[in-house]
Amino acid sequence: MMVTGSQPMPCVAPDGDHLMLRLFKNKVDYCRIHGHDIFYNNVLLHQGMFGFWAKYPLVKAAMLAHPEAEWIWWVDSDAVFTDMDFDLPLEKYKAYNLVAYGWPDIIYKQKSAMGVNA
């Protein structure tokens, strides 16, 4: 299941909301082509967690609402799929419970969570 969302208030950029709508449609099309569900939210679920922190309560809400989902895939609202044939390499990660992008040197050598790209 793909999870994505956007801010609850209108974008300050003149074309921002139009662009966000087009980027959302891009994600919906990708999910339709690949048979994935999509979970979208534009509500602030936790008053103390806004901006990029807002994704954590959203991912939790998706997990609670859809316990049948085998995997949860967070995709930023400003991300765009340029290769609609791209398949997630889920088989590669079947032995893992969590996969997160980050910088191994910062995570493992410096022992800092700042190396995880959230």
Side-chain angles (χ1 to χ4, degrees):
M1 169 179 293
M2 180 186 293
V3 179
T4 190
S6 61
Q7 61 196 21
M9 66 292 255
C11 189
V12 295
D15 295 330
D17 289 326
H18 175 73
L19 180 60
M20 293 304 292
L21 183 61
R22 292 186 66 170
L23 292 173
F24 177 62
K25 184 179 182 319
N26 171 263
K27 291 170 191 59
V28 169
D29 289 343
Y30 179 87
C31 287
R32 181 182 45 78
I33 290 168
H34 292 276
H36 302 317
D37 292 329
I38 187 164
F39 187 99
Y40 175 82
N41 180 60
N42 68 341
V43 175
L44 186 59
L45 298 177
H46 187 288
Q47 295 302 316
M49 299 182 86
F50 49 89
F52 57 86
W53 291 105
K55 68 182 70 170
Y56 294 106
L58 177 53
V59 168
K60 180 181 178 182
M63 292 171 75
L64 292 172
H66 296 280
E68 77 285 357
E70 288 185 48
W71 52 268
I72 301 288
W73 180 24
W74 172 264
V75 179
D76 284 339
S77 60
D78 59 352
V80 62
F81 288 94
T82 58
D83 180 2
M84 290 299 209
D85 291 327
F86 170 76
D87 284 317
L88 281 172
L90 295 176
E91 188 67 25
K92 179 178 177 180
Y93 301 109
K94 68 180 179 181
Y96 297 93
N97 291 321
L98 175 68
V99 178
Y101 177 77
W103 294 269
D105 186 58
I106 297 172
I107 296 167
Y108 299 112
K109 290 184 181 173
Q110 296 179 31
K111 306 283 189 213
S112 173
M114 297 304 290
V116 177
N117 184 355

